[in-house]
Amino acid sequence: MIPRPPRSSEPTTAEADAWADVLVRRQLLHAVVPTPTGQWLVQDHPEGPVGVLASPADVLALAATIQQRTRSTRPESR
């Protein structure tokens, strides 16, 4: 895997919101909701516990982790 260059700026709320929407729409998470304090509430499934992420950067890190896990469990198509 080719490492990506470091980001030149911090992730924005809009970027985190877009990833949150994708994760929920694809049913990879049940809910991802921003709070007025800048934190994000995350829930894997409807009856599961609610987790708290501190910032948009944490939402993007979670999205990357889920994406990596999804790709690593997918059978190779080659």
Side-chain angles (χ1 to χ4, degrees):
M1 180 179 280
I2 300 170
R4 291 182 179 250
R7 289 180 61 107
S8 60
S9 63
E10 287 295 312
T12 64
T13 300
E15 188 176 7
D17 193 46
W19 274 107
D21 184 53
V22 168
L23 294 171
V24 172
R25 243 185 313 120
R26 298 282 182 175
Q27 298 178 349
L28 298 169
L29 292 173
H30 174 67
V32 182
V33 180
T35 68
T37 63
Q39 295 177 319
W40 293 74
L41 304 178
V42 180
Q43 191 174 29
D44 286 345
H45 51 282
E47 303 301 321
V50 176
V52 179
L53 300 178
S55 68
D58 291 336
V59 175
L60 268 59
L62 176 61
T65 299
I66 291 171
Q67 186 177 40
Q68 184 177 18
R69 182 178 62 216
T70 301
R71 287 182 176 173
S72 69
T73 59
R74 198 169 43 189
E76 284 295 319
S77 60
R78 296 180 204 184

